[in-house]
């Protein structure tokens, strides 16, 4: 290790983490997060996705990060993952990090003992001798599910076990190297076809990884080209040249170039099987005759000799083709590349424009030529543009396209994702804080998406939601720093409940409306208010790790009494059926007590005539649908009787106890 690398690394950690006089435990957490970011940089994960596999905490078994990837996509929700039917590439990353300036054997001893159990997928959770946190067990469950789902397709399996510290890799003892070999043998014993790699990262290696940024300015070697003035080019590039263009220095696919491509790689479905068969069949017609090719957006492009230099690259169509070409060369696994691969070509269309509106039109057009779930095209929706603008005016960067601002180097704390906003809507608009964690499924159901990101919400709502959620996160972070025992997922699980209760306390009712929320001056909410509410939640959640319905109900009922919050929370919240097979629908609505009283006063004596709700709606300037539901609520509360066809229904007598 160069003498100054440790100093350089500590300086980087201080600058990006704002460590200053942070405690030893907090420095360790910041170091862990830094290592996770660097090791997984090639997968272009969002901050929320990094958190999903960050399992450090009590009973972590010596594991700080546990990630499962299928075809380069992180597996988070097993039930919502698009499993490929064949041709899969399964990658598993297990990381342990120590904020020390040396490498010790102790962390590897703990890791080896844990992996001996966790990688034996024949054992159920109850058969494990060690005590493991729910985060670790969930990560193991994702590996188990991926292995079983893909086993029949003979996936390519790779394990990478990483041990990182601030030490010098060149000064290692034999005992650490021996432990590394044991870990590799253990993986081979459990997964016979897997490739296992044990990696040590010290200060020098981490500094080098940090310096390797994402490159959006690249050069493509081509064989022939057609220029269309300054508006674009059509080029033929040989397969190997294109593979080199989309591959980074570590041999990984530059996945960040596909942020604007709405489709994930679909594995070996019929189309991709045809692509791979064409690639594998050296007697087939030239590849570009049988393939539609690739579309690239760039802000500028220039031809110099037989090279096309492009700036601000986004591959907006052709992910299936690109991934298939990448896997083709990966499976060949040999050098040098056969000459025939330099005589087979891929067709590439390069569109040159810096106009965001035009770029959005190109993205939608190029990705809408075959059946695609409409939810995949949301980045170009008007509401997403509107949210981006209003948040930007309030100092936030809204990533309607994944990692756009992260790649631009904007502060992580100022970046807001659609999934984060969906969580905020669920907690404070739908008043359902059981959905506190990031809602990754909100795009799986068009109905849920439409209800979440609707233009009927006042535009001023979005900054309010962001401020409240960020203040709740800050309160939880301060608590985590004091307790020093909080797992990373703790903040995502409880921030929504804290934010919701602060808002409800502000209005003194659970029946506030979305317009009330949008008009609220969020800057008037103090850190002290969120700290107080967080302390209240932590004291009454009974040690529960998840914000399930029973726990949330207990906490909210206590808060209603202590903070004098009026209303009935179960009636105020809005519930959504999130499964794509079952359309989302509201099963309860939020009605202010005074409005309910006004409707009750306007109703005549029963039995009232049919369609009375329409008459009351006209008198009170309400919608007929809302008034009908309000009358149903009055009946549910026992303030009015049930009737049908203009006649009262008889009450069912309650049997004596």
């Amino acid at each position: 290790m160069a003498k100054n690398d440790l100093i350089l690394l500590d300086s980087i950690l201080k600058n990006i983490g704002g460590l200053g006089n942070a405690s030893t435990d907090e420095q360790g957490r910041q170091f862990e997060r830094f290592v996770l970011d660097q090791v997984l940089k090639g997968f272009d994960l969002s901050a929320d996705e990094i958190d999903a596999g960050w399992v450090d905490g009590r009973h972590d078994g010596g594991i700080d990060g546990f990630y499962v990837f299928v075809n380069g996509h992180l597996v988070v929700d097993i039930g919502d993952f698009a499993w490929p039917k064949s041709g899969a590439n399964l990658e598993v990353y297990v990381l342990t990090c120590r904020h020390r300036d040396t490498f010790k054997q102790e962390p590897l001893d703990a890791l080896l003992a844990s992996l001996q159990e966790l990688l034996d997928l024949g054992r159920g959770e109850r058969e494990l001798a060690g005590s493991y946190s729910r985060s670790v067990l969930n990560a193991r469950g994702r590996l188990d599910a991926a292995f079983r789902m893909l086993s029949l397709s003979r996936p390519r399996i790779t394990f990478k076990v990483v041990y990182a510290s601030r030490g010098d890799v060149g000064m290692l003892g034999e005992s650490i190297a021996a432990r590394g070999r044991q870990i590799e043998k253990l993986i081979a014993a459990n997964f016979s076809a897997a490739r296992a790699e044990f990696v040590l990262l010290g200060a020098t290696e981490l500094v080098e990884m940090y310096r390797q940024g994402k490159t959006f300015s690249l050069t493509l070697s081509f064989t022939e080209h057609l220029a269309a003035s300054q508006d674009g080019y059509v080029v033929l590039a040989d397969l190997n040249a294109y593979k080199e263009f989309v591959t980074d220095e570590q041999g990984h696919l530059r996945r960040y170039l596909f942020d604007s491509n709405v489709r994930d790689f679909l594995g070996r479905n019929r189309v991709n099987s045809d692509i791979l068969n064409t690639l594998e069949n050296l007697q087939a017609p030239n590849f570009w005759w049988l393939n539609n090719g690739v579309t690239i957006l760039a802000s500028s492009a220039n031809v110099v000799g037989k090279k096309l230099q492009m700036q601000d690259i986004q591959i907006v169509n052709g992910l299936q083709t690109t991934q298939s070409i990448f896997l083709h060369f990966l499976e060949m696994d040999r050098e040098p590349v056969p000459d025939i691969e330099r005589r087979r070509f891929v067709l590439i269309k390069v569109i040159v424009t810096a106009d965001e509106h035009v770029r959005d039109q190109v993205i939608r057009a190029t990705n809408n030529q075959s059946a695609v779930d409409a939810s995949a095209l949301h980045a170009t929706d008007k509401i997403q543009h509107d949210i981006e603008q209003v948040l930007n005016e309030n100092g936030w960067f809204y990533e309607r396209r994944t990692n756009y601002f992260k790649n631009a180097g904007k502060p992580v704390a100022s970046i807001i994702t659609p999934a984060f906003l969906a969580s905020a809507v669920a907690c404070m608009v739908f008043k359902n804080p059981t959905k506190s964690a990031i809602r990754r499924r909100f795009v799986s159901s068009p109905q849920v998406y439409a209800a979440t990101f609707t233009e009927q919400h006042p535009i001023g709502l979005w900054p309010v939601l962001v401020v409240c959620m960020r203040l709740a996160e800050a309160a939880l972070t301060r608590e985590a720093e004091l307790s020093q025992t909080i797992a990373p997922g703790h903040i995502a699980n409880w921030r929504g409940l804290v934010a919701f209760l602060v808002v409800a306390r502000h209005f003194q009712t659970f029946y506030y409306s979305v317009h009330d929320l949008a008009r609220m001056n969020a800057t008037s909410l103090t850190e002290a208010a969120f700290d107080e509410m967080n302390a209240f939640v932590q004291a009454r959640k009974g040690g529960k790790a998840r914000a399930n319905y029973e726990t949330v109900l207990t906490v909210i009922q206590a808060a209603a009494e202590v903070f004098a919050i009026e209303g009935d929370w179960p009636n105020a919240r809005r519930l959504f059926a999130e499964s794509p097979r079952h359309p989302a629908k509201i099963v309860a609505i939020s009605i202010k007590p005074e409005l309910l009283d006004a409707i009750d006063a306007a109703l005549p004596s029963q039995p009232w005539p049919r369609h009375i709700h329409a008459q009351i709606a006209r008198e009170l300037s309400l919608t007929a649908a809302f008034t009908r539901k309000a009358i149903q609520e009055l009946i549910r509360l026992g303030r009015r009787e049930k009737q049908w066809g203009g006649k009262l229904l008889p009450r069912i007598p309650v049997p004596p106890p």
Side-chain angles (χ1 to χ4, degrees):
M1 178 176 70
K3 187 179 297 184
N4 292 323
D5 282 345
L6 180 57
I7 298 174
L8 259 177
L9 177 60
D10 288 342
S11 177
I12 292 170
L13 291 170
K14 183 177 180 180
N15 289 335
I16 67 174
L19 292 177
N21 297 320
S23 66
T24 301
D25 287 329
E26 181 58 22
Q27 289 181 18
R29 287 175 56 80
Q30 292 282 5
F31 178 70
E32 286 177 16
R33 182 53 184 261
F34 175 78
V35 172
L36 296 177
D37 282 339
Q38 302 314 309
V39 171
L40 303 172
K41 184 184 292 184
F43 294 99
D44 202 37
L45 303 181
S46 68
D48 300 317
E49 289 173 320
I50 292 286
D51 287 344
W54 190 7
V55 299
D56 179 37
R58 295 182 60 187
H59 305 303
D60 62 17
I63 301 172
D64 297 317
F66 197 146
Y67 299 84
V68 179
F69 298 90
V70 174
N71 290 337
H73 300 290
L74 180 66
V75 179
V76 178
D77 188 336
I78 296 171
D80 198 38
F81 193 80
W83 300 101
K85 295 181 179 179
S86 60
N89 189 27
L90 173 61
E91 299 171 86
V92 182
Y93 280 72
V94 179
L95 302 96
T96 186
C97 312
R98 293 295 182 271
H99 188 247
R100 302 170 176 165
D101 56 8
T102 59
F103 287 92
K104 300 289 186 183
Q105 182 179 327
E106 171 197 353
L108 292 182
D109 291 341
L111 182 62
L112 180 60
S114 297
L115 291 180
Q116 284 176 334
E117 286 197 306
L118 297 174
L119 297 186
D120 183 358
L121 301 182
R123 297 190 189 186
E125 289 186 4
R126 295 183 179 180
E127 298 175 274
L128 300 176
S131 179
Y132 301 102
S133 68
R134 177 43 54 190
S135 296
V136 172
L137 293 176
N138 287 344
R140 179 186 188 249
R142 291 191 284 269
L143 170 59
D144 188 11
F147 182 71
R148 294 179 192 277
M149 292 291 292
L150 304 174
S151 58
L152 294 179
S153 64
R154 293 179 296 173
R156 180 188 179 97
I157 305 175
T158 304
F159 277 81
K160 183 169 285 189
V161 180
V162 178
Y163 176 23
S165 82
R166 295 159 52 250
D168 185 349
V169 172
M171 301 293 289
L172 291 177
E174 174 57 26
S175 62
I176 292 179
R179 281 289 184 267
R181 291 192 293 271
Q182 283 183 279
I183 289 173
E184 291 177 345
K185 290 180 180 178
L186 171 66
I187 293 171
N190 284 279
F191 300 87
S192 59
R195 294 185 179 185
E197 182 182 7
F198 176 72
V199 179
L200 289 160
L201 299 177
T204 298
E205 291 75 23
L206 289 171
V207 169
E208 289 178 356
M209 294 174 77
Y210 176 74
R211 287 171 173 167
Q212 293 170 358
K214 296 176 177 129
T215 305
F216 290 89
S217 301
L218 298 169
T219 299
L220 171 67
S221 298
F222 63 83
T223 303
E224 300 291 343
H225 85 286
L226 174 67
S229 65
Q230 298 299 313
D231 297 327
Y233 301 85
V234 177
V235 303
L236 281 178
D238 71 64
L239 295 180
N240 184 65
Y242 183 66
K243 185 267 294 184
E244 293 295 327
F245 173 72
V246 297
T247 304
D248 65 17
E249 294 80 3
Q250 285 73 46
H252 297 139
L253 189 65
R254 299 182 192 268
R255 301 187 187 281
Y256 57 87
L257 296 180
F258 298 91
D259 287 347
S260 297
N261 194 306
V262 302
R263 297 175 182 85
D264 286 339
F265 181 60
L266 302 176
R268 228 175 214 187
N269 59 10
R270 183 184 60 79
V271 174
N272 291 334
S273 292
D274 288 345
I275 295 175
L276 286 166
N277 289 337
T278 301
L279 290 167
E280 293 165 2
N281 182 6
L282 301 183
Q283 306 305 316
N286 204 311
F287 182 76
W288 76 279
W289 293 8
L290 306 177
N291 184 269
N292 290 332
V294 175
T295 302
I296 297 177
L297 272 177
S299 62
S300 66
N302 296 288
V303 172
V304 179
K306 288 289 186 179
K307 296 181 183 295
L308 182 61
Q309 299 174 342
M310 292 173 277
Q311 306 287 327
D312 302 321
I313 295 167
Q314 277 293 297
I315 300 175
V316 298
N317 189 255
L319 171 58
Q320 312 302 317
T321 296
T322 303
Q323 181 87 52
S324 297
I325 292 172
F326 178 77
L327 287 176
H328 170 67
F329 282 96
L330 191 66
E331 291 172 1
M332 285 171 53
D333 200 23
R334 66 177 186 267
E335 292 288 347
V337 175
D339 287 340
I340 192 171
E341 301 295 1
R342 305 183 192 279
R343 299 195 299 272
R344 298 202 292 172
F345 307 103
V346 59
L347 181 68
I348 303 168
K349 179 170 64 175
V350 179
I351 299 172
V352 181
T353 177
D355 187 315
E356 277 297 315
H357 180 66
V358 173
R359 291 170 74 94
D360 282 343
Q361 286 183 305
V362 172
I363 292 167
R364 180 173 287 274
T366 55
N367 284 286
N368 207 25
Q369 294 171 358
S370 59
V372 180
D373 187 342
S375 63
L377 295 166
H378 290 318
T380 61
D381 287 353
K382 179 181 181 298
I383 183 62
Q384 297 296 329
H385 281 282
D386 293 344
I387 293 172
E388 180 181 34
Q389 181 177 347
V390 72
L391 290 185
N392 182 259
E393 291 171 355
N394 285 270
W396 306 99
F397 300 100
Y398 182 58
E399 289 198 321
R400 56 190 180 88
R401 294 205 183 99
T402 306
N403 286 343
Y404 178 84
F405 289 110
K406 178 183 176 183
N407 292 334
K410 300 300 182 183
V412 174
S414 299
I415 296 174
I416 306 301
T417 66
F420 176 91
L421 267 191
S423 176
V425 170
C427 296
M428 284 175 277
V429 177
F430 300 159
K431 304 170 186 177
N432 197 344
T434 58
K435 306 296 183 184
S436 297
I438 284 295
R439 305 189 76 217
R440 293 177 179 85
R441 297 183 60 140
F442 74 95
V443 294
S444 299
S445 165
Q447 294 90 350
V448 173
Y449 173 84
T452 302
F453 293 101
T454 172
E455 293 187 38
Q456 294 180 7
H457 290 335
I459 194 65
L461 171 71
W462 307 106
V464 172
L465 294 178
V466 170
V467 170
C468 290
M469 285 289 270
R470 284 295 194 227
L471 284 170
E473 286 184 336
L476 281 152
T477 300
R478 287 189 289 271
E479 174 228 346
E481 292 173 355
L482 291 174
S483 65
Q484 301 180 3
T485 59
I486 303 299
H490 176 78
I491 293 174
N493 285 325
W494 297 103
R495 60 187 176 187
L497 178 56
V498 172
F500 169 62
L501 286 176
V502 169
V503 170
R505 182 185 182 186
H506 174 81
F507 291 113
Q508 290 294 286
T509 179
F510 294 124
Y511 293 131
Y512 63 84
S513 71
V514 66
H515 294 279
D516 295 331
L517 190 57
R519 289 191 293 265
M520 185 177 71
N521 180 12
T523 59
S524 66
L525 300 175
T526 64
E527 289 185 356
F530 283 85
D531 285 334
E532 180 184 6
M533 191 60 72
N534 180 52
F536 179 88
V537 170
Q538 301 309 318
R540 285 163 176 78
K541 68 183 180 67
K544 300 293 185 180
R546 299 285 177 181
N548 58 33
Y549 176 80
E550 291 76 14
T551 303
V552 167
L553 178 61
T554 299
V555 174
I556 288 179
Q557 287 176 337
E561 182 177 346
V562 172
F563 299 108
I565 305 174
E566 297 181 352
D568 178 27
W569 171 67
N571 179 53
R573 70 177 184 146
R574 292 165 62 177
L575 304 180
F576 284 81
E578 296 191 25
S579 169
R581 297 182 181 180
H582 303 286
K585 60 180 180 180
I586 300 173
V587 299
I589 61 172
S590 173
I591 307 174
K592 285 186 174 182
E594 56 267 32
L595 191 53
L596 206 59
D597 291 339
I599 293 172
D600 190 21
L603 283 168
S605 299
Q606 288 186 268
W608 52 63
R610 298 178 64 183
H611 307 301
I612 187 64
H613 66 283
Q615 176 185 330
I616 301 300
R618 287 192 296 271
E619 292 176 6
L620 300 180
S621 298
L622 301 172
T623 65
F626 178 87
T627 307
R628 183 175 59 251
K629 290 178 181 179
I631 294 173
Q632 292 171 353
E633 178 64 4
L634 288 169
I635 294 171
R636 190 189 72 82
L637 294 173
R639 295 169 62 176
R640 291 286 178 160
E641 301 294 333
K642 290 184 179 180
Q643 67 175 64
W644 179 260
K647 296 181 179 181
L648 288 174
L649 295 178
R651 287 191 176 186
I652 300 175
V654 179

